[in-house]
Amino acid sequence: MTVQSPPTHVAECMGVKVPPSPFLNETRIARINEARYEGQEIAGALSVVGPSDRVIEMGAGLGIVGAVTQLNARPEAMVSFEANPNMIPHIEALYALNKIKTKIKLHNKVLLTDPEPPETVDFFLRNSFLGSSLTDTDKRETEAVTIQTARYEELRKSFQPTVLLMDIEGGELEFLRHADLTGLRAIVLEFHPESYGKEGMKECKTILRNAGFSKDNSVSTRLVWTCLRGPDVPNAPPLPDDGWSRKITTLEDALIVPPIEAGLVQATGVLDRAGNYVAQGALWRRDRALTLPPAMPSETPKALEGTWLWGGPLWLHFGHFLAESTPRLWALDAHENELSGILFTPKRPRNAGLIKRWQWKFFEELAPGLPVKIATEPMRVERLIVPGQGFGLGAISSGTPEFRAFMAGRFGATVPASGPEKLYISRSKFEFRKGSLVGEEALERHLEAQGYEVFHPQEHDIATQIARYKAASHIIAAEGSAIHLAAMVMGPAQKLAIIVRRRSSATDYIEAHLKAFAGVTALSVDALIRNWMPKGERKARHAVGEIDFPALQDALLMGGFLTPSPDIWENFSPADVSALLGDSFTEA
């Protein structure tokens, strides 16, 4: 006869194997397998915990929430408290089975914030471990056990937690009344109004709000809140080093609402299944959000099956596409194998589902064969991955570490360097009204005499542009969008000079992009005499720069981009400038 070994686990949740225990029945096992057991707490924890976090878990229960958090988010350190002594051996067995016993320090204690806490407290056990708590009740039979206490304030100072996970069956109100929440940037907790009533729950929420925490609607319900403060709050601009820009939120039954009207700032974006606005899906530029909460659509949304990656607004303008339609693609590294595609909304409603050929080529460089779709009408998406904005214009121009690593590992990785050592990125073939330099053709002749190839990127496919930017040891560029693409593939041994054609913060963002992504400190040459603007135009990107040619030559020579030459660059006369511009420009 063959004696079968007992099963090592009877359920599994998000990679965590759950061993058998007397606290598991068929219903609970099914909920665990379907990731519905403590599902809201798990969703909240995974939306806020990252590798640099130090996590305190209060109320470990079966140990599943803490284990899922540890295995999936991999925090730097984690400590867990469970008051019920009957649960401890089963939590330890779960930790051991999943090889995380050394990664979560488990205590059979009650963590208190009282200024003068007792050494022990009575803990009341009920038939169901889910109802056991510090509060006795006449409604159910209980058994009192004496449990040692630990001081939260001492732990806060020694452990320095950044995230608090709390499910303590009604003890949260007393905990919050006395807690010093210094150092915490996120709290996930379940309220228990049956223990302290609606007024008690209101007091809990008031304490959190007064401490600067905001509820994240995308992963919160009436009784389970995920709260954030500081850079993690998605209603603040994204930052390159910390905060919501580096987090990923997963939504079931998300609602995508495209814009109805054109404009820089638009009502468009992501709503959760309850109709709450998901602020993590907003597009920010500098210090303001360009996408605002849309109204719930009156018509029935179209259903979209599968798992989709949220891309945000799809810009057709080359520079804004690079800076503001790519910032969420970094999540492809973690989720590509499960994705049905990438989902955008149109920046301009009139463009509907238009995707330009060069954009398709760009996407092919990053995720070959992955579908790209534009939601031209409201869509109910079965599952939506919403990454934080990892790049853009503003402080985020340096990009998050995840976005930089993603671009370095994928974009142009298979394209070999090919082209001359000296390259000039020109704007002379653009319509003058789109922003240029006065007499740029003369500048091109001077640079050609120095051995530079004049390159018009809009005439070449993405792969050719990548190859040229990889190959050149020295690049000079009229300030513009093309430099953003160069920054994504250049290396620290290369040199790049920017000829400023307008006085704008755009140059600062390009410099930050080059430094953070390529390790290149750009030489920005402001040799502007004056700017000219098309009559009736106010957008800075359409400015035409009149350059002091001798000053530009000196700056490029000093910067190592030119060699000494008898060719002396000369300025255009006022009459020449007038002839080049015609009568449709005015001095800015």
Side-chain angles (χ1 to χ4, degrees), residues 286 392-395 397-398 484 505-514:
R286 293 188 285 273
L393 301 177
S397 291
S398 296
H484 281 301
S505 57
T507 305
D508 298 332
Y509 303 148
I510 291 173
E511 289 175 349
H513 187 186
L514 281 161

Side-chain angles (χ1 to χ4, degrees), residues 497-547:
I498 301 171
I499 302 176
V500 176
R501 62 181 174 86
R502 53 176 173 168
R503 292 190 173 97
S504 166
S505 57
T507 305
D508 298 332
Y509 303 148
I510 291 173
E511 289 175 349
H513 187 186
L514 281 161
K515 182 65 176 177
F517 283 66
V520 173
T521 300
L523 171 67
S524 290
V525 182
D526 183 349
L528 284 170
I529 297 173
R530 63 183 63 85
N531 271 127
W532 299 87
M533 291 291 289
K535 289 181 179 178
E537 181 59 71
R538 302 177 68 177
K539 294 178 181 178
R541 71 172 181 264
H542 293 157
V544 175
E546 183 182 343
I547 298 296

